[in-house]
Amino acid sequence: AWDGTDLGKRHRVSIEEAIRRYTACGAEILGIKNVGKIKKNYEADFIVLDKDIFEIEPDMIDTVKVAETYISGNREYIMK
């Protein structure tokens, strides 16, 4: 938590696992087909972040912003 409260460090997952859980696993749990992965014959819905979350300190992830949003392969949002 922002105030330093331990919210369960023993339950931490890697950045890669967190992304997978929010994308492919989320789509699978909801029963949504052809989403959640960048793969042939899947919907091209994705975001571009303003920082590389694999290169920053984990406690800085909350500062990352969405720079662009793509829906069906079309850019629908760009950060100003």
Side-chain angles (χ1 to χ4, degrees):
W2 63 270
D3 66 356
T5 303
D6 180 353
L7 296 177
K9 291 181 182 177
R10 69 185 183 281
H11 299 293
R12 278 187 198 172
V13 296
S14 67
I15 301 294
E16 294 87 351
E17 181 64 15
I19 291 169
R20 191 180 73 73
R21 288 183 183 186
Y22 272 93
T23 56
C25 289
E28 182 179 329
I29 288 168
L30 294 172
I32 303 171
K33 306 281 187 209
N34 299 330
V35 298
K37 298 177 184 179
I38 304 229
K39 185 176 175 181
K40 185 177 179 177
N41 296 321
Y42 274 59
E43 290 293 323
D45 298 347
F46 60 93
I47 60 172
V48 176
L49 303 175
D50 71 336
K51 296 180 184 110
D52 183 344
I53 61 174
F54 297 101
E55 297 296 324
I56 63 173
E57 293 296 319
D59 62 345
M60 297 301 294
I61 288 176
D62 63 339
T63 67
V64 177
K65 294 178 177 54
V66 175
E68 298 178 23
T69 302
Y70 290 79
I71 306 293
S72 296
N74 299 308
R75 187 170 63 194
E76 299 292 338
Y77 168 80
I78 186 165
M79 180 171 45
K80 295 182 181 184

